[in-house]
Amino acid sequence: VVKIDPPEGRLISVPTDEVYVCRAEVCFGQREDGLEWTSYCLPPPAAKPAAKPRRFAAGDRVACAVEDPSDAYSVWAAGTVVAVDVTLDEATLYGEHVSGGGAAHTLPYRVQLDSGAAVLAHRDEHWLVRDLALQAEGQRQGAGGARCLARMERREVVEGEWQRVDHQTRQVRSCAPPESDSEEE
């Protein structure tokens, strides 16, 4: 059972745990069918929120959520934002599924990964794109339920010195160690 995004926001049954049926939301584009998967993740036109300021600018170094080499899990991959507010028409996104073009969709970012692949970020959210200075490359979702998706993260920067990182706002501040009973930060 999977909960789909708003405006539906309901639970649906997934008949089989196969990548072609249900997969983690990532910045698609490394694979041949990347645009197709990106189109599946776009919010419906009526559900699009009002435009908000972008968190990154062209030239910023970021970590993008992308498919891992096995295509079963996801990783954080380093890259550079090469374009902001990328416009793609429906004909480009959906290929032969749309006749005569259609409405344009604006995607927050096009990112050139250090691996050489280019990906599209279809949402400007912390679970898809993060500041590379705050999120190292590595596993995002892996075997056994391992996950690195939380918006707020507490981490040790040097022995005994801890920080709380907000991956959405990119705010960093000092905090108490996790084993401490103190909630003051």
Side-chain angles (χ1 to χ4, degrees), residues 94-160:
Y94 303 105
E96 65 270 358
H97 302 294
V98 175
S99 59
H105 294 274
T106 302
L107 286 67
Y109 309 109
R110 181 185 316 271
V111 177
Q112 184 70 44
L113 299 178
D114 292 355
S115 68
V119 296
L120 294 168
H122 55 280
R123 296 179 195 220
D124 188 6
E125 298 290 351
H126 70 88
W127 66 83
L128 292 174
V129 184
R130 292 183 172 182
D131 188 324
L132 187 59
L134 303 176
Q135 176 63 61
E137 288 187 282
Q139 186 177 37
R140 179 176 172 262
Q141 289 181 301
R147 297 167 61 92
C148 177
L149 297 167
R151 174 180 172 170
M152 303 296 289
E153 175 186 18
R154 189 181 298 210
R155 64 183 183 182
E156 190 172 25
V157 285
V158 294
E159 189 173 334

Side-chain angles (χ1 to χ4, degrees), residues 28-109:
F28 298 103
Q30 294 188 107
R31 311 284 190 269
E32 190 175 310
D33 60 355
L35 273 179
E36 181 180 3
W37 283 102
T38 298
S39 70
Y40 296 149
C41 294
L42 292 172
K48 287 184 183 175
K52 60 181 180 179
R54 299 294 183 212
R55 295 179 304 140
F56 302 102
D60 285 353
R61 296 285 291 156
V62 295
C64 284
V66 298
E67 308 98 323
D68 76 346
S70 74
D71 220 17
Y73 302 108
S74 61
V75 295
W76 291 107
T80 303
V81 175
V82 294
V84 178
D85 291 328
V86 179
T87 302
L88 296 175
D89 64 25
E90 288 182 350
T92 302
L93 281 169
Y94 303 105
E96 65 270 358
H97 302 294
V98 175
S99 59
H105 294 274
T106 302
L107 286 67
Y109 309 109

Side-chain angles (χ1 to χ4, degrees), residues 135-183:
Q135 176 63 61
E137 288 187 282
Q139 186 177 37
R140 179 176 172 262
Q141 289 181 301
R147 297 167 61 92
C148 177
L149 297 167
R151 174 180 172 170
M152 303 296 289
E153 175 186 18
R154 189 181 298 210
R155 64 183 183 182
E156 190 172 25
V157 285
V158 294
E159 189 173 334
E161 199 174 306
W162 288 80
Q163 293 178 333
R164 180 174 301 255
V165 176
D166 181 336
H167 287 289
Q168 185 69 26
T169 64
R170 300 162 65 189
Q171 298 279 327
V172 179
R173 60 186 180 137
S174 296
C175 68
E179 63 272 2
S180 170
D181 290 333
S182 172
E183 287 299 316

